[in-house]
Amino acid sequence: MIRLETLHNICLIWSLIGVGSFILLQFVRAPYGRYIRKGWGPEIPNYIGWILMELPSFLIIFYFYYFYIQSTYASMLSLLWLLHYFNRTFIYPFRIRTKKKKMPLTIVLSAIGFNFMNAGLNGYFLAFFDRYNVANFESWNFYAGLVLFILGLIVNQVSDHLLINLRKPEERGYKIPQGFLFNYISCPNYLGEIVQWIGFALMAWNFPALTFLIWTAANLLPRVSGHHQWYQDHFKDYPKNRKALIPRIW
Ligand code: NDP
């Protein structure tokens, strides 16, 4: 059993590594999806990569939820996490139209490490440092966080759905996404994901949830700039007024 202070120190170090990863990702595009390229070692089918990457996040929180988590509030947080990762692990990989595409094992292994740490820290905290009680359900951060989590989830799901359906089942290329928040920004799926985990961090109000938010932003913000630039480079008719992540601003 580790002490709370130790858990916080691990979160601090892990968050700093997340910031380091953010800086690194400014120079190196994570080689999956449109940035896949040779030189990153053996590759496996894309959808198997997604299942393997996301599975630890589902299983670890499920383990803590099933065996240790006590309070209703911590259970609610675990169930929201499991809802997200059930989709990401068991549904999303079978919906994407990338059947003949591959991803490097390096990406899969690094994402497994990322998910192992983040789910481990969050699950451990909810299991062994659970100080939540019914009053938490009346706090401002619960209401604000739940609204943001649900809004983010909807934006992420709708945007991923639109992106997936840009291709016919056997197509492999890229098109300009249209409709919904794509009319304003290039990456509403990432916006939704970030808002969702801001909501989770508000509800959870603990260091591990903040750490996961830092890592999510560290992964996704460089990808936002990459995608936005990529669209502008590849499509001459890409809408000029479309921003990257925040309508009218960035
Ligand atoms: P992308 O937006 O790069 O791709 C999503 C899917 O849509 C892929 O199957 C992609 O195909 C396809 N696609 C995207 N753009 C187009 C287009 N213009 N034309 C045709 N097809 C397109 O998202 P990611 O793959 O990076 O991420 C998927 C999900 O995982 C997102 O919801 C994201 O928020 C989440 N995620 C969360 C992270 C976290 O740290 N919490 C980290 C990374 C992702 P292809 O693969 O061939 O490009």
Side-chain angles (χ1 to χ4, degrees):
M1 174 83 183
I2 62 171
R3 293 186 310 136
L4 183 59
E5 194 190 349
T6 311
L7 189 84
H8 281 168
N9 285 336
I10 298 172
C11 287
L12 180 62
I13 294 166
W14 184 234
S15 298
L16 291 175
I17 295 173
V19 174
S21 168
F22 171 76
I23 295 167
L24 183 70
L25 288 170
Q26 304 298 317
F27 305 102
V28 185
R29 295 261 167 264
Y32 75 96
R34 70 195 66 191
Y35 310 113
I36 179 109
R37 52 198 184 270
K38 293 289 167 203
W40 289 83
E43 295 173 354
I44 61 170
N46 203 60
Y47 77 101
I48 293 180
W50 274 103
I51 298 170
L52 293 177
M53 287 195 295
E54 306 300 321
L55 193 59
S57 217
F58 182 85
L59 290 182
I60 289 170
I61 294 294
F62 185 78
Y63 166 81
F64 283 115
Y65 170 72
Y66 192 79
F67 288 107
Y68 296 106
I69 287 172
Q70 300 281 335
S71 75
T72 313
Y73 198 83
S75 301
M76 178 272 304
L77 290 170
S78 317
L79 289 171
L80 290 176
W81 182 293
L82 290 174
L83 172 74
H84 175 88
Y85 277 101
F86 184 82
N87 169 59
R88 192 64 83 220
T89 313
F90 302 112
I91 299 177
Y92 179 79
F94 298 99
R95 293 185 59 221
I96 48 178
R97 294 181 172 169
T98 59
K99 295 277 187 298
K100 289 180 188 147
K101 289 193 161 185
K102 300 205 164 186
M103 82 164 60
L105 203 51
T106 333
I107 284 288
V108 177
L109 294 177
S110 63
I112 288 175
F114 157 84
N115 280 326
F116 189 85
M117 278 301 288
N118 287 312
L121 289 170
N122 276 277
Y124 199 90
F125 184 95
L126 294 179
F128 302 119
F129 300 108
D130 180 355
R131 304 282 178 273
Y132 300 112
N133 56 49
V134 283
N136 288 98
F137 284 108
E138 288 159 18
S139 62
W140 71 269
N141 53 305
F142 166 68
Y143 288 112
L146 188 63
V147 168
L148 288 179
F149 187 91
I150 292 170
L151 270 179
L153 182 76
I154 293 169
V155 168
N156 177 259
Q157 290 295 310
V158 172
S159 311
D160 271 348
H161 175 79
L162 290 172
L163 285 174
I164 290 169
N165 286 290
L166 284 172
R167 288 180 187 144
K168 297 199 179 74
E170 297 308 318
E171 281 180 346
R172 291 171 61 99
Y174 292 89
K175 302 172 188 177
I176 300 178
Q178 305 287 357
F180 188 54
L181 296 185
F182 287 107
N183 292 338
Y184 311 99
I185 54 173
S186 295
C187 302
N189 56 338
Y190 296 153
L191 175 67
E193 180 100 24
I194 293 169
V195 168
Q196 209 181 324
W197 295 111
I198 291 175
F200 187 86
L202 274 177
M203 282 186 282
W205 205 257
N206 63 40
F207 203 174
L210 177 64
T211 305
F212 182 49
L213 173 61
I214 291 169
W215 263 98
T216 297
N219 279 333
L220 294 183
L221 293 179
R223 219 164 157 79
V224 167
S225 348
H227 277 25
H228 190 58
Q229 188 62 49
W230 187 94
Y231 280 124
Q232 289 172 335
D233 293 345
H234 286 78
F235 295 104
K236 285 203 175 58
D237 52 342
Y238 197 67
K240 296 272 178 294
N241 56 352
R242 194 178 290 189
K243 298 289 183 186
L245 189 75
I246 303 170
R248 291 166 184 267
I249 298 175
W250 176 57

